[in-house]
Amino acid sequence: MIPKFPFFLTLILGGFSAWLWLNDHVMRALSVMILLPLWLLLMALWWALRLKGKRLSRLVVVIVCIAVFFGLFRYDGSADGSAFPSLAWRWQKKTSLPELHDIPGKSEAPTAPPVGVADMPRFLGVKGDGVLTEPNWQTDWKTHAPREMWRIEVGDGWSGFAVAGHRAITQEQRGEEECVTCYDITTGKLLWSHADQTRFDEAMGGIGPRATPTIDATKGVVFTLGAKGLLNCLDLSTGAMRWKRETLKEAAATSNLQWGKSSAPLLAGEVVICSGGEGGTSLLAYRQDSGEIAWKAGENGGSYSSPVLMTLAGREQIVNVNNGSVTGHDPARGSLLWSFDWPGAFPKVGQPVQVTPDRFLVTSSYGVKGHLIEIKAKAEDKLSATSIWSSSHPRTKFSSASVFGTHAYASDEGTFCCVDLTTGERGWREGRYGFGQHVRVGEQWMLVQAEKGFVALVKANPKQLEEVSRLEALNSKTWNPPTLAGRWLLVRNDREAVCYEIPAK
């Protein structure tokens, strides 16, 4: 006869867990993090109390087993973007790279970049819209394999590379130092580093800076935003400090974002713009030459998304995803042009992506629906924002959608998918790329950095997934965005960075 308690306990918790996984629910990791330990604990207590004469001894055995388990293992962050837990031996420690401190570079005449290199000066390309110009490259990587130019160890962090000329700049954590590092794109040699004595460490998301640097090669500067909101303006050639600001303090934020600041600085005219933290000011604009505050805007706090420039309804504006809204601002003064309520307590990470001259797409996850938003001109120099449709797909979570005409392609809770932008309905859903990043390249390609480390070249096809090539670049969890600087591909994670030259046609 089957005991009733174990049967019904397994039926209830097991059924709930199966439902979470079969539906790709955003909280499916709950089944491992909470439901499985809960089942084991309740089953152990039931087993310990079953025999009346041996209750105490069996309870002691259960307690000892639990103590041994926690004595041997420790939680080592998320194994992937689903929050599936990673366990490590308590005595197993990750090898830390040595601190770099400030290593000045040489102020010299610019070195010509290698053939095939093009600037990619910020997160998601020149305009920050995730659309890159297609280079003169080979797309069949089996026949024309990309050539590995260098591979180096790097510190913790989820920053990508920004490239100007022969310089490739990223952010990484080295011990107690949050570093901005500049490498030679040809050799991987460290050209300079700048270090701040600060460290962001969050159990689930990991250690180190998240945001990708922004370069202004004409002014010879690079702007970086650290995980705790420290904004640096550094000399592009030497890494020397020009000015520094504490954005969270100046935004009057109640606290930092739970998983750290990840938004890239935006250049607009003579100012550099950053988003805020929890509560307080949403956007802060600093004068690029001096670091003085030019204007502040919004009272809804910041998000993990980066502010981006768009021209909507014939007017250039900053589109920003805030804590509970999406807003449009005048780049010169920061004045509010329109606002769209987008509530939800969970993080909003994806970038707003323009679809037509008047419409753009915002996507999220955690049960928060995305919207196709239309901007229209109104009287008195104002604009209005209206949702054309809302949909639960794609659930982008960490990444942003890529738009080709009437279709958007995106990671939907770790599986690639295609969404019809006229209706918001999801078409195909396949391709286990995990919670990685991707960019659009030209009129038909997407470069996908998979969470497991490999890179895939995917052709935009609304009928089915069409993966054309694959490159086994990295072999551990990778949440960093890829950088395609012409035909030179740079990818990294919290352990190593690698650079490839993709053959020309």
Side-chain angles (χ1 to χ4, degrees):
M1 182 175 178
I2 301 175
K4 292 181 179 180
F5 180 78
F7 174 76
F8 285 109
L9 180 67
T10 303
L11 184 65
I12 293 171
L13 296 185
F16 184 48
S17 177
W19 179 81
L20 289 173
W21 282 89
L22 288 174
N23 288 280
D24 282 318
H25 197 275
V26 294
M27 299 300 289
R28 62 191 180 190
L30 177 73
S31 61
V32 176
M33 297 176 67
I34 298 177
L35 298 184
L36 179 58
L38 179 63
W39 182 87
L40 291 171
L41 178 61
L42 293 176
M43 283 296 295
L45 289 174
W46 172 82
W47 175 74
L49 298 173
R50 252 188 105 210
L51 298 179
K52 295 180 180 179
K54 297 182 179 180
R55 288 181 182 179
L56 182 60
S57 60
R58 286 183 178 270
L59 186 58
V60 169
V61 170
V62 171
I63 294 173
V64 170
C65 289
I66 293 174
V68 169
F69 177 83
F70 285 103
L72 291 176
F73 297 100
R74 61 178 173 82
Y75 176 70
D76 195 35
S78 300
D80 57 33
S82 71
F84 193 93
S86 176
L87 298 178
W89 299 107
R90 285 207 170 269
W91 57 83
Q92 180 183 352
K93 293 184 178 181
K94 182 180 176 181
T95 303
S96 297
L97 296 180
E99 294 184 344
L100 289 175
H101 310 299
D102 285 346
I103 300 176
K106 297 179 180 178
S107 183
E108 55 189 14
T111 302
V115 174
V117 170
D119 287 356
M120 186 169 169
R122 62 155 296 166
F123 176 56
L124 296 183
V126 175
K127 295 182 179 180
D129 57 1
V131 180
L132 311 183
T133 302
E134 183 176 359
N136 179 38
W137 62 348
Q138 294 283 359
T139 55
D140 181 355
W141 295 348
K142 284 187 177 179
T143 305
H144 306 279
R147 180 167 62 118
E148 183 174 315
M149 304 303 296
W150 48 264
R151 184 182 295 265
I152 59 173
E153 288 186 304
V154 293
D156 291 284
W158 306 117
S159 173
F161 281 98
V163 174
H166 71 290
R167 297 182 176 91
I169 303 174
T170 189
Q171 295 192 90
E172 53 189 283
Q173 191 73 39
R174 299 289 191 103
E176 297 303 313
E177 295 180 342
E178 186 176 68
C179 298
V180 182
T181 47
C182 177
Y183 296 95
D184 190 311
I185 196 171
T186 310
T187 63
K189 176 185 176 183
L190 181 67
L191 298 177
W192 56 257
S193 70
H194 167 80
D196 291 297
Q197 289 296 318
T198 184
R199 176 185 173 94
F200 182 84
D201 189 348
E202 189 276 318
M204 185 177 289
I207 303 167
R210 280 88 163 108
T212 299
T214 300
I215 297 172
D216 188 337
T218 59
K219 292 184 173 66
V221 292
V222 55
F223 298 95
T224 62
L225 187 67
K228 290 186 175 181
L230 188 62
L231 176 65
N232 284 319
C233 176
L234 307 174
D235 186 273
L236 179 60
S237 298
T238 65
M241 171 68 67
R242 294 200 177 181
W243 52 261
K244 177 187 302 186
R245 301 302 295 249
E246 297 182 32
T247 62
L248 295 179
K249 180 179 179 181
E250 291 164 347
T254 55
S255 65
N256 190 8
L257 298 179
Q258 183 176 355
W259 287 281
K261 289 296 299 177
S262 63
S263 55
L266 169 67
L267 303 182
E270 295 302 312
V271 298
V272 55
I273 301 161
C274 298
S275 64
E278 289 288 349
T281 302
S282 299
L283 288 174
L284 302 97
Y286 299 90
R287 301 192 186 282
Q288 293 184 35
D289 56 353
S290 64
E292 295 178 356
I293 296 177
W295 52 258
K296 296 182 180 182
E299 300 175 350
N300 195 221
S303 72
Y304 300 86
S305 179
S306 303
V308 62
L309 278 175
M310 291 185 187
T311 299
L312 296 164
R315 183 163 181 176
E316 186 180 53
Q317 55 199 272
I318 301 166
V319 178
N320 192 54
V321 177
N322 311 302
N323 184 36
S325 65
V326 188
T327 50
H329 300 266
D330 181 88
R333 303 182 300 276
S335 54
L336 183 67
L337 302 177
W338 54 265
S339 180
F340 179 83
D341 288 337
W342 195 27
F346 287 101
K348 297 181 178 71
V349 183
Q351 293 295 109
V353 181
Q354 190 156 3
V355 174
T356 70
D358 299 327
R359 296 178 178 181
F360 67 94
L361 177 69
V362 290
T363 56
S364 185
S365 189
Y366 307 101
V368 178
K369 289 187 176 182
H371 294 268
L372 181 67
I373 299 174
E374 183 174 64
I375 305 299
K376 288 186 176 181
K378 292 176 61 179
E380 299 180 357
D381 203 33
K382 292 290 184 179
L383 303 172
S384 66
T386 307
S387 177
I388 302 301
W389 52 252
S390 64
S391 174
S392 296
H393 303 287
R395 299 164 294 175
T396 50
K397 205 166 191 177
F398 293 171
S399 58
S400 309
S402 293
V403 171
F404 291 82
T406 58
H407 291 84
Y409 301 82
S411 173
D412 185 60
E413 278 298 313
T415 303
F416 220 57
C417 78
C418 177
V419 172
D420 188 333
L421 289 171
T422 59
T423 63
E425 295 181 359
R426 189 180 69 188
W428 56 260
R429 183 175 185 266
E430 53 183 312
R432 293 283 182 173
Y433 299 132
F435 297 86
Q437 305 282 333
H438 58 93
V439 291
R440 170 181 159 177
V441 184
E443 299 303 317
Q444 60 178 335
W445 304 107
M446 285 168 286
L447 188 71
V448 181
Q449 171 62 74
E451 186 178 31
K452 290 185 177 180
F454 66 86
V455 177
L457 186 62
V458 175
K459 194 171 185 178
N461 185 339
K463 297 181 179 180
Q464 63 183 20
L465 174 68
E466 189 174 346
E467 182 180 308
V468 175
S469 294
R470 182 175 289 203
L471 178 64
E472 300 295 338
L474 303 166
N475 56 16
S476 61
K477 181 176 69 180
T478 304
W479 289 341
N480 312 64
T483 298
L484 185 65
R487 289 188 293 103
W488 287 57
L489 172 65
L490 296 97
V491 294
R492 61 156 293 192
N493 54 24
D494 61 340
R495 300 181 182 184
E496 61 179 342
V498 58
C499 176
Y500 294 93
E501 180 190 12
I502 301 173
K505 289 183 180 178

